[in-house]
Amino acid sequence: MTSLRDWARNLLDRYAGDLSPEILGQKRRLIDMGEQALVAQDLIVFGLKRHDLSRADLDTAREYAAYGSFGKANQWITEQLDLELSRA
Amino acid sequence: MRSLAGLVRLVLGAGVPRTRDQKIEAAYLLTGGVRAARLDTHRIAANYLQHRGVDVSGFPARPQEYRFKSVIDTLDRVIDPVAEASSPQVAAKVAEDLTRALRRHAEEPARALVRQAAAVTGGSWARVLTGPTSCSFCVMMASRGPVYESSENAVRSGPGKTMFEGTEVAAVHDGCDCVTAFVPKGSKAWEGRAQWLALQKAWDECGPDGDHRADDDARPDRLVFRSWWEQTVRDGKGPHYIAPSMPDAAPLPAASKPSMSKQAVKKPSVKAESKAEVARRLLPGMEKILADLRSQGLPEDDPRIVWHKRRIDELRADLEHEPAVPLLKTEKILVAANSGGGGGSLEDNGPTRIARSEGVPPITASGTGGPPKPPDRTRGMLGPGMPDEFGRFGDFEPPTTRSDIEGFSIEDAVITLDGDGSYEAALLRHNGDISKARMDAGHGYHGYGLGIKISEFPEGWSPADVVDFANAIVDSPSWAEDDTTADGFYLYGVYRGQVGTLAIRPYGRWMIASVIPDDLRYNRLRD
């Protein structure tokens, strides 16, 4: 499984065109500071709203959620991912 | 091991090595010391096994070769390339991290020999706690007991379910003070057995319907166990889980019993002791025990003597590094003064500050401090005379009110400081590879000296301080910014001189999703 940091970077690169330069820069700095979990969960929510996360992304996100990587939002994100997976 | 800490101090005395040549020079000096220490621990472990009836004649006479590159790699890992080279604080941190890492390298031959003895004799080995504040990862591993006779059994047996196929189950971290105890086949009389059974019971109580798990707590067992252990340490009951023969055990508090109630688990913590305070409390007892052991005629290389000497050295070093002036004695803290926020500077949230004097609780945003007590808000935050709305920050106005943001609890603050367990799980997945584990770290790990995240809270900050920090920024942010990705926003602020960023998110409810002891806006200005 790709590391959470690399996966967050990959998601960010894919959504870069849809984000403002300020937010893009902010999230890149967060990843550099080791806050990849916050960036990943924000982008998961962004992707869930647009229903454009791939099955592989959903599976990866679900796996990290199983490790409890998304802090206080972990349970809520898990529920949203399961909902999206049931639609996929 | 005494000489290892001294050797590190000696090598770093000329300054923190930054260039390749400097690191090579330092590594030449350090490698010999580590190799000597590894010989010592290997020999001590062989003696230990012999005393437990193991024929060690067929075992290797020397530990596995220790490579020069291991020290180079460690130097690369513990030295921050952008930190100020001449800073005494940076040098002290590098010395501490380096000593912890090299000690782990030095102790590995002893652990390896015990594992080998278990494999050869058909016995097993167990991780046994020696420190009253052992980390929750080690405690979880210790709760598995003597299940480690083979990696297959370690994966499939025991209460720790975070094992993964093919991973190194014997992972230890820098600073780990666990002992690898040999358990002869069929033995029920080994050091730490009673403590293992108590920990195993605690683990079971963290499962579904367990006494340590609140009814509405849906977290994985390991996180519930972690919370239980953190509370146990805060209650001063960690020593209950250390075998009496393990000499590092601190004296038990009078009339204390392990807490088993859900109510006790949720009890607010008292302020954590500083390292120097812990050292001052433990040193007299440790020195007395060492004197007693010597009076029994034990040789200087007896494991208990060696262990005591090492711990006494560490405690004395902690005392030496005590700040000259207590951190909070003359500090001034912020009180909520920005009526409705808006446009504060990066350095100061507002014009009104009060002096914080020693022994007098601060007036905090959480209302945990002294008089005058601020009025209660409906949930979480309490602010003296603050409106519930945040007000405008340039073109942005936060889309929620202060009282709609879920309160930031002590449990949240513990995770902010010590992490959510994801790093430890990643450490197991990656066979103890710290750099890979850092890339999988989730939330938190901002405690002083952990070295996992870039930003760390100042030394000595307790979970209660972090709660105050989060609440102070909610009550008196210096700035706020939208994050359209997540439909949330960031709050920036300063509390007791520490800048910070809160990520506020509407994930099911408005919450403080992350507390970062750094100002991201400031970082942007520095870019």
Side-chain angles (χ1 to χ4, degrees):
Chain A
M1 186 168 65
T2 183
S3 74
L4 184 58
R5 185 174 300 179
D6 288 343
W7 185 59
R9 278 204 176 107
N10 185 278
L11 275 179
L12 190 58
D13 288 343
R14 276 190 273 147
Y15 285 131
D18 302 313
L19 305 176
S20 72
E22 291 77 18
I23 287 179
L24 190 60
Q26 183 85 307
K27 298 213 178 293
R28 288 208 167 117
R29 275 188 297 281
L30 281 165
I31 291 174
D32 289 343
M33 292 171 69
E35 307 297 337
Q36 53 268 2
L38 178 63
V39 173
Q41 73 189 51
D42 283 352
L43 294 171
I44 290 166
V45 173
F46 189 63
L48 286 172
K49 282 190 297 182
R50 300 154 52 110
H51 300 291
D52 64 355
L53 286 172
S54 68
R55 176 77 196 201
D57 284 333
L58 290 169
D59 286 340
T60 303
R62 188 64 183 75
E63 199 160 354
Y64 276 113
Y67 293 140
S69 297
F70 303 127
K72 289 184 76 174
N74 204 71
Q75 191 178 343
W76 183 80
I77 286 179
T78 302
E79 291 166 4
Q80 305 305 309
L81 287 168
D82 287 345
L83 201 61
E84 191 73 1
L85 280 163
S86 70
R87 289 181 183 140
Chain B
M1 217 72 87
R2 174 204 297 264
S3 59
L4 205 52
L7 182 61
V8 167
R9 281 198 293 272
L10 184 71
V11 171
L12 297 182
V16 174
R18 313 304 295 252
T19 67
R20 204 70 196 154
D21 286 346
Q22 288 170 343
K23 285 180 180 174
I24 287 170
E25 187 180 351
Y28 270 122
L29 295 169
L30 291 166
T31 304
V34 179
R35 283 176 177 158
R38 283 167 64 87
L39 278 171
D40 282 347
T41 61
H42 183 91
R43 184 170 48 82
I44 289 167
N47 287 341
Y48 161 82
L49 289 167
Q50 269 185 315
H51 284 129
R52 279 153 186 79
V54 178
D55 178 7
V56 298
S57 58
F59 287 9
R62 299 174 63 85
Q64 193 176 5
E65 185 188 356
Y66 185 70
R67 295 177 307 149
F68 175 77
K69 184 175 182 302
S70 298
V71 180
I72 291 284
D73 289 345
T74 304
L75 288 168
D76 285 341
R77 176 165 62 83
V78 303
I79 296 172
D80 181 351
V82 298
E84 176 53 55
S86 60
S87 161
Q89 286 80 16
V90 170
K93 185 172 187 318
V94 169
E96 184 181 341
D97 291 350
L98 187 57
T99 303
R100 283 156 54 100
L102 297 184
R103 275 194 177 134
R104 177 169 61 81
H105 296 180
E107 289 164 355
E108 179 51 29
R111 294 184 170 115
L113 206 61
V114 173
R115 290 198 297 270
Q116 183 176 358
V120 168
T121 64
S124 56
W125 57 273
R127 184 184 287 240
V128 177
L129 306 179
T130 69
T133 57
S134 297
C135 74
S136 61
F137 167 77
C138 291
V139 178
M140 184 176 73
M141 294 294 102
S143 77
R144 293 166 60 82
V147 298
Y148 294 113
E149 65 267 32
S150 71
S151 60
E152 182 183 350
N153 200 7
V155 170
R156 296 182 182 167
S157 304
K161 302 294 186 197
T162 59
M163 296 289 134
F164 297 93
E165 295 286 351
T167 59
E168 172 60 72
V169 294
V172 294
H173 54 83
D174 290 355
C176 181
D177 57 3
C178 291
V179 166
T180 305
F182 174 69
V183 182
K185 189 174 185 179
S187 172
K188 290 188 176 179
W190 50 276
E191 293 160 334
R193 184 172 186 273
Q195 289 68 33
W196 156 55
L197 292 172
L199 287 171
Q200 191 180 48
K201 182 175 187 304
W203 173 271
D204 291 341
E205 295 295 348
C206 293
D209 302 324
D211 280 345
H212 297 330
R213 177 187 286 273
D215 292 338
D216 59 350
D217 191 342
R219 293 178 298 163
D221 292 2
R222 61 180 171 77
L223 294 184
V224 178
F225 186 74
R226 181 191 183 98
S227 299
W228 168 79
W229 176 248
E230 299 285 1
Q231 186 61 50
T232 299
V233 171
R234 287 198 292 273
D235 290 344
K237 293 167 186 167
H240 284 287
Y241 300 93
I242 298 167
S245 57
M246 294 298 162
D248 201 19
L252 290 174
S256 67
K257 284 177 63 181
S259 164
M260 294 294 170
S261 72
K262 291 175 186 173
Q263 191 178 2
V265 171
K266 290 184 173 298
K267 189 175 67 178
S269 70
V270 296
K271 183 168 175 58
E273 287 178 289
S274 70
K275 284 184 178 179
E277 287 167 337
V278 171
R280 195 172 292 113
R281 177 166 56 79
L282 294 181
L283 258 176
M286 298 282 288
E287 287 168 337
K288 181 178 184 310
I289 294 171
L290 179 61
D292 288 346
L293 289 171
R294 282 175 167 153
S295 71
Q296 293 169 22
L298 293 173
E300 282 301 295
D301 63 355
D302 181 278
R304 286 166 291 179
I305 298 260
V306 170
W307 184 258
H308 270 86
K309 285 159 67 178
R310 196 189 87 183
R311 288 294 294 144
I312 287 170
D313 278 353
E314 290 170 344
L315 293 169
R316 284 177 179 160
D318 288 342
L319 267 180
E320 284 172 14
H321 289 108
E322 184 177 26
V325 179
L327 287 174
L328 303 181
K329 194 167 184 176
T330 56
E331 269 183 321
K332 293 177 183 296
I333 63 160
L334 291 168
V335 293
N338 281 345
S339 56
S345 77
L346 289 171
E347 303 303 325
D348 189 348
N349 279 0
T352 306
R353 288 165 181 262
I354 60 168
R356 181 175 184 172
S357 58
E358 191 174 39
V360 178
I363 299 173
T364 67
S366 62
T368 55
K373 190 177 185 304
D376 288 3
R377 287 217 174 95
T378 52
R379 279 193 296 168
M381 310 306 162
L382 314 169
M386 296 291 294
D388 207 16
E389 294 75 26
F390 281 101
R392 296 195 71 80
F393 297 83
D395 294 332
F396 173 65
E397 181 170 355
T400 187
T401 58
R402 290 180 170 89
S403 62
D404 270 339
I405 298 172
E406 186 180 63
F408 197 73
S409 68
I410 284 285
E411 285 79 8
D412 297 330
V414 168
I415 289 174
T416 299
L417 288 171
D418 296 341
D420 60 4
S422 55
Y423 172 80
E424 290 87 341
L427 211 52
L428 286 171
R429 286 202 301 278
H430 298 303
N431 294 324
D433 188 320
I434 289 170
S435 60
K436 284 184 178 172
R438 283 177 67 172
M439 294 176 72
D440 274 348
H443 283 269
Y445 300 106
H446 295 293
Y448 178 82
L450 291 183
I452 297 170
K453 294 286 183 71
I454 297 289
S455 54
E456 294 181 349
F457 280 96
E459 186 174 12
W461 276 46
S462 68
D465 293 326
V466 175
V467 169
D468 285 346
F469 176 80
N471 290 342
I473 292 177
V474 168
D475 268 0
S476 187
S478 60
W479 195 252
E481 275 184 337
D482 201 2
D483 186 331
T484 52
T485 322
D487 294 331
F489 58 97
Y490 297 100
L491 291 176
Y492 305 99
V494 189
Y495 175 71
R496 286 173 49 194
Q498 175 63 49
V499 296
T501 302
L502 307 186
I504 313 291
R505 299 290 186 263
Y507 295 154
R509 61 207 185 270
W510 282 104
M511 64 171 69
I512 300 174
S514 206
V515 174
I516 302 166
D518 201 342
D519 188 322
L520 298 179
R521 188 169 62 133
Y522 180 50
N523 280 329
R524 183 165 70 235
L525 295 176
R526 283 188 300 195
D527 284 349

